[in-house]
Amino acid sequence: MASLRPAAVPRKASDPCATIDSPVSRADLVAAWEQAYGTPPPKRTSERLLALSAAYHRQVGETGGLSRKTRRQLTAWADGADKETDAGKASRDTGARPGTRLVREWRGESHVVDILENGVLYKGRTFPSLSAVARAITGARWSGPRFFGL
């Protein structure tokens, strides 16, 4: 399996991004982040991530970055990975955030669901999506967001 570390590029010993594992001050890494992204890093960003980011941006500057074809392949892979995971599916598909409560009346009975970070809570049971809850309620294949009026 390929390593996730950026490829080694010869550096000067004084370069703060000489190697990912070399001792570099956090201030230098934060400065490199700010230069690359234009904003300070999020709080609690690990030094390892700061170093990886600095090394990556340095390599992009030297080699030109990823080819268009590689960027397309990575985007397609990421989109496919999103579809395969159920974690956060309800909030991703509907725009409903975790903590949202939805109520739907069906055949004279009120059905209450809570959106969680990793699915949907209905009658004490966690479902992977709103569509799964709609199926449990109706016995038919419904679009969950459509069933709940989103």
Side-chain angles (χ1 to χ4, degrees), residues 74-94:
L74 287 171
T75 301
W77 175 79
D79 289 344
D82 282 347
K83 292 175 186 171
E84 292 173 11
T85 61
D86 287 337
K89 190 170 185 177
S91 61
R92 186 174 58 248
D93 290 346
T94 64

Side-chain angles (χ1 to χ4, degrees), residues 24-110:
V24 177
S25 74
R26 183 171 180 85
D28 288 340
L29 294 172
V30 168
W33 179 286
E34 289 175 347
Q35 183 179 4
Y37 295 103
T39 62
K43 291 182 179 179
R44 298 187 193 109
T45 302
S46 70
E47 286 189 30
R48 177 93 174 130
L49 180 59
L50 292 171
L52 286 167
S53 173
Y56 172 75
H57 283 282
R58 180 68 179 242
Q59 288 176 353
V60 166
E62 292 178 4
T63 64
L66 300 173
S67 69
R68 209 176 278 186
K69 179 182 176 184
T70 302
R71 284 195 307 264
R72 276 195 311 267
Q73 288 173 335
L74 287 171
T75 301
W77 175 79
D79 289 344
D82 282 347
K83 292 175 186 171
E84 292 173 11
T85 61
D86 287 337
K89 190 170 185 177
S91 61
R92 186 174 58 248
D93 290 346
T94 64
R97 293 183 176 180
T100 302
R101 175 169 279 181
L102 303 172
V103 180
R104 169 68 151 91
E105 186 173 318
W106 177 256
R107 297 193 175 169
E109 183 180 344
S110 289

